[in-house]
Amino acid sequence: MRVALFLTCVNDALYPDTGRAVVTVLERLGVEVDFPTGQTCCGQPQYNTGYRRETEPLVRRMAEVFADYDHVVTPSGSCAAMVRDNYPRIGARTRAEGRGTALERAAGALVPKVHELTEFLVDVLGVTDVGASFPHTVTYHPSCHGLRMLGLGDRPRRLLQAVRGLNLVELPGAEECCGFGGTFAVKNAAVSTAMGQDKVRNARSTGAEVLCGADNSCLMHLGGLLHRQDEPLRALHIAEILAATEDLPDGPPTRPTNGPTDGPTESLVVSA
């Protein structure tokens, strides 16, 4: 089984530890993971802001880079949903406009290979206990793309419930959007901030130490609000919890919470 890591732009630029955590979890389960260095953006920012034609080269690139793999795993429900939901539309449009069927065929071949991390663990590998230990109280925020477009359901919770020492507490209003939404946060900053503050307030009410999610874009938004409010609550990607195997006496791991204002971190390079 040839498995590739599709890291995504946000993780590569800001949260490389999430990519490393995915590799740690998969290798612990006996999966050999490649990181094709030719991968680029999936095109979601362009597509969502109306640059549909300009997204096509990125679709073509993604299909070429991952063509030889059986499965493509990504720690991002948002980018997985972009491929699964929008690539077929983009391919169909090129055909409808008389520009051939090559892109539609390439996109169609890629779509069934792409899995969000928790989907891959539960549905493809058939595991919920990944051998993790994380003795902290955690609450889980299901991002909109994972919840509504991918239909992740209870997969993330089942994985978290199998982590030794982890106390999972339910997040009030969990299915409400956190207000990030990519360019929505840029174009509607005041509304985005208000929605994020509601999410933070609900997370704080649980008494959790960690606010967990499966999309670092949402966690960047919420982590920034937590940082500015000097909250002890920390945002952390589910992959980093599933990769943890040691007791953490000094508290849960910390990570950048200011997003882009903290500047980029080193890029992830895994054996290709």
Side-chain angles (χ1 to χ4, degrees):
M1 179 168 64
R2 296 201 69 199
V3 176
L5 170 64
F6 166 36
L7 185 57
T8 82
C9 305
V10 169
N11 291 318
D12 188 36
L14 300 172
Y15 302 110
D17 283 348
T18 296
R20 294 189 181 94
V22 173
V23 175
T24 296
V25 173
L26 294 180
E27 288 187 343
R28 187 192 302 151
L29 297 170
V31 177
E32 293 186 11
V33 186
D34 285 350
F35 180 72
T37 55
Q39 62 183 278
T40 58
C41 174
C42 67
Q44 184 177 188
Q46 294 85 349
Y47 189 79
N48 287 352
T49 47
Y51 294 94
R52 304 296 169 87
R53 192 75 172 255
E54 287 78 2
T55 308
E56 293 176 12
L58 296 168
V59 176
R60 190 173 299 109
R61 177 74 170 182
M62 286 280 291
E64 291 172 355
V65 166
F66 293 113
D68 293 334
Y69 292 95
D70 301 310
H71 300 283
V72 180
V73 180
T74 179
S76 169
S78 177
C79 294
M82 170 65 191
V83 175
R84 297 242 292 264
D85 201 52
N86 291 323
Y87 276 26
R89 290 194 181 95
I90 294 168
R93 175 176 167 169
T94 62
R95 173 177 48 79
E97 292 178 349
R99 293 188 283 124
T101 61
L103 189 62
E104 185 177 36
R105 285 187 279 106
L110 176 63
V111 166
K113 299 179 181 179
V114 173
H115 311 275
E116 184 273 337
L117 173 63
T118 65
E119 282 183 319
F120 184 74
L121 293 172
V122 175
D123 296 350
V124 179
L125 298 185
V127 299
T128 51
D129 185 349
V130 299
S133 173
F134 192 80
H136 299 283
T137 300
V138 175
T139 192
Y140 173 71
H141 162 62
S143 64
C144 294
H145 284 90
L147 179 71
R148 285 176 259 278
M149 295 182 72
L150 294 182
L152 293 183
D154 66 352
R155 295 176 183 85
R157 288 186 178 84
R158 290 166 61 192
L159 289 161
L160 291 170
Q161 287 167 341
V163 174
R164 282 175 281 286
L166 189 149
N167 177 32
L168 182 63
V169 292
E170 287 301 315
L171 177 65
E175 296 188 359
E176 296 174 6
C177 177
C178 70
F180 179 64
T183 54
F184 176 83
V186 176
K187 296 176 179 177
N188 305 278
V191 177
S192 171
T193 300
M195 295 171 72
Q197 287 173 336
D198 285 346
K199 183 69 68 173
V200 166
R201 189 178 305 112
N202 287 338
R204 187 195 304 129
S205 74
T206 66
E209 300 165 80
V210 174
L211 173 58
C212 167
D215 269 285
N216 268 330
S217 49
C218 298
L219 295 175
M220 177 179 67
H221 175 56
L222 297 171
L225 291 170
L226 290 168
H227 177 75
R228 285 161 179 78
Q229 296 174 18
D230 198 25
E231 284 285 341
L233 181 65
R234 292 288 177 262
L236 194 65
H237 195 281
I238 188 172
E240 295 175 58
I241 293 176
L242 299 179
T245 54
E246 302 294 333
D247 290 348
L248 302 169
D250 296 328
T254 58
R255 62 185 338 206
T257 53
N258 281 346
T261 57
D262 279 343
T265 55
E266 60 180 308
S267 294
L268 174 70
V269 177
V270 182
S271 59

